[in-house]
Amino acid sequence: MEAKKDKRPPNLTGAIVILWLQAAGNGFVGAITIASAVSDMEYGRDAGLDLAAGLICVLVVPVLIVGAVGLARRRVRARVPVIVVEGLILVSGLIQLVLTLVAGGSPVGVVGLILAVLVLQGTLSRESDDWLRAGEEPSTAVRDTTRES
């Protein structure tokens, strides 16, 4: 049974892989969006919203990386930033999906929604929780306060 606790659950491994892919994708898309916005601004076009979107994409990258590394190192607290970011991705993706469908467009962003759900499922599952908690050192270790002379 101990060997089972040492092996990372497959759904958590999938979540970590997705986090790395999201970090790479956000970094790439963010850099291109910022470059495009700066270019547009040089020609006098309003690109403030594009610039903000690009900056948000780039600023999310370290959070995703820290979450992926923390989960791989069995840190329970690493779930907090992952849950926050994936929750925001889920909410914004749902809003985008509804607005697109109402406007009569094709459902764009469904892949992002699916990835966010997979990450949340992988990090919040019972198996992942058990594995993460089994690897944590007790924060309140009992200390021997008696001193031998």
Side-chain angles (χ1 to χ4, degrees), residues 30-42 45 47 50-51:
I32 288 176
T33 304
I34 290 170
S36 175
V38 169
S39 176
D40 284 350
M41 291 168 104
E42 287 176 355
R45 288 177 249 168
D50 291 341
L51 183 61

Short mmCIF file of all heavy atoms in Angstrom, two decimals, residues 30-42 45 47 50-51:
data_model
loop_
_atom_site.label_atom_id
_atom_site.label_comp_id
_atom_site.label_asym_id
_atom_site.label_seq_id
_atom_site.Cartn_x
_atom_site.Cartn_y
_atom_site.Cartn_z
N GLY A 30 0.82 35.62 -25.33
CA GLY A 30 0.99 36.91 -24.68
C GLY A 30 2.06 37.76 -25.34
O GLY A 30 1.87 38.96 -25.57
N ALA A 31 3.20 37.14 -25.65
CA ALA A 31 4.28 37.87 -26.30
C ALA A 31 3.86 38.37 -27.68
O ALA A 31 4.14 39.53 -28.05
CB ALA A 31 5.51 36.97 -26.42
N ILE A 32 3.18 37.54 -28.44
CA ILE A 32 2.72 37.95 -29.77
C ILE A 32 1.68 39.06 -29.66
O ILE A 32 1.71 40.04 -30.43
CB ILE A 32 2.16 36.74 -30.55
CG1 ILE A 32 3.30 35.82 -30.96
CG2 ILE A 32 1.37 37.19 -31.77
CD1 ILE A 32 2.87 34.56 -31.63
N THR A 33 0.78 38.95 -28.70
CA THR A 33 -0.26 39.97 -28.52
C THR A 33 0.36 41.30 -28.11
O THR A 33 -0.05 42.36 -28.62
CB THR A 33 -1.29 39.51 -27.47
OG1 THR A 33 -1.82 38.24 -27.88
CG2 THR A 33 -2.41 40.49 -27.32
N ILE A 34 1.34 41.27 -27.22
CA ILE A 34 2.01 42.51 -26.80
C ILE A 34 2.74 43.13 -27.97
O ILE A 34 2.64 44.34 -28.20
CB ILE A 34 2.97 42.23 -25.62
CG1 ILE A 34 2.17 41.90 -24.36
CG2 ILE A 34 3.89 43.41 -25.38
CD1 ILE A 34 3.01 41.39 -23.21
N ALA A 35 3.47 42.31 -28.73
CA ALA A 35 4.20 42.83 -29.90
C ALA A 35 3.25 43.45 -30.91
O ALA A 35 3.51 44.52 -31.46
CB ALA A 35 5.02 41.71 -30.54
N SER A 36 2.13 42.79 -31.15
CA SER A 36 1.14 43.31 -32.09
C SER A 36 0.53 44.61 -31.59
O SER A 36 0.33 45.56 -32.36
CB SER A 36 0.05 42.26 -32.31
OG SER A 36 -0.98 42.77 -33.12
N ALA A 37 0.24 44.67 -30.30
CA ALA A 37 -0.35 45.89 -29.72
C ALA A 37 0.63 47.06 -29.79
O ALA A 37 0.23 48.18 -30.14
CB ALA A 37 -0.76 45.63 -28.27
N VAL A 38 1.88 46.79 -29.49
CA VAL A 38 2.89 47.86 -29.56
C VAL A 38 3.03 48.34 -31.00
O VAL A 38 3.13 49.55 -31.26
CB VAL A 38 4.24 47.36 -28.99
CG1 VAL A 38 5.36 48.33 -29.29
CG2 VAL A 38 4.12 47.14 -27.48
N SER A 39 3.03 47.42 -31.94
CA SER A 39 3.10 47.79 -33.35
C SER A 39 1.90 48.65 -33.77
O SER A 39 2.06 49.66 -34.46
CB SER A 39 3.18 46.53 -34.21
OG SER A 39 3.17 46.86 -35.58
N ASP A 40 0.71 48.24 -33.34
CA ASP A 40 -0.49 49.02 -33.65
C ASP A 40 -0.42 50.41 -33.03
O ASP A 40 -0.83 51.40 -33.66
CB ASP A 40 -1.75 48.30 -33.15
CG ASP A 40 -2.15 47.14 -34.03
OD1 ASP A 40 -1.57 47.00 -35.13
OD2 ASP A 40 -3.03 46.37 -33.61
N MET A 41 0.09 50.51 -31.83
CA MET A 41 0.18 51.80 -31.15
C MET A 41 1.17 52.74 -31.86
O MET A 41 0.98 53.95 -31.88
CB MET A 41 0.58 51.61 -29.69
CG MET A 41 -0.52 50.95 -28.87
SD MET A 41 0.06 50.41 -27.27
CE MET A 41 -0.65 51.67 -26.23
N GLU A 42 2.22 52.16 -32.45
CA GLU A 42 3.18 52.96 -33.20
C GLU A 42 2.53 53.61 -34.42
O GLU A 42 2.97 54.66 -34.87
CB GLU A 42 4.38 52.11 -33.62
CG GLU A 42 5.29 51.75 -32.47
CD GLU A 42 6.41 50.82 -32.89
OE1 GLU A 42 6.44 50.37 -34.07
OE2 GLU A 42 7.27 50.52 -32.04
N ARG A 45 -2.98 53.46 -33.79
CA ARG A 45 -4.22 52.73 -33.55
C ARG A 45 -4.37 52.44 -32.06
O ARG A 45 -3.38 52.25 -31.36
CB ARG A 45 -4.23 51.43 -34.33
CG ARG A 45 -4.41 51.67 -35.82
CD ARG A 45 -4.34 50.37 -36.57
NE ARG A 45 -3.08 50.47 -37.32
CZ ARG A 45 -2.49 49.47 -37.94
NH1 ARG A 45 -2.99 48.28 -37.91
NH2 ARG A 45 -1.38 49.65 -38.60
N ALA A 47 -4.76 50.22 -29.14
CA ALA A 47 -4.52 48.80 -28.87
C ALA A 47 -4.38 48.55 -27.37
O ALA A 47 -3.73 47.60 -26.95
CB ALA A 47 -3.26 48.35 -29.61
N ASP A 50 -5.76 45.12 -26.27
CA ASP A 50 -4.87 44.04 -26.70
C ASP A 50 -3.62 43.97 -25.83
O ASP A 50 -3.17 42.89 -25.45
CB ASP A 50 -4.45 44.22 -28.17
CG ASP A 50 -5.60 44.01 -29.13
OD1 ASP A 50 -6.60 43.38 -28.74
OD2 ASP A 50 -5.49 44.48 -30.29
N LEU A 51 -3.07 45.14 -25.51
CA LEU A 51 -1.89 45.19 -24.66
C LEU A 51 -2.20 44.63 -23.28
O LEU A 51 -1.42 43.85 -22.73
CB LEU A 51 -1.38 46.64 -24.55
CG LEU A 51 -0.10 46.84 -23.76
CD1 LEU A 51 1.06 46.08 -24.39
CD2 LEU A 51 0.22 48.33 -23.67
#
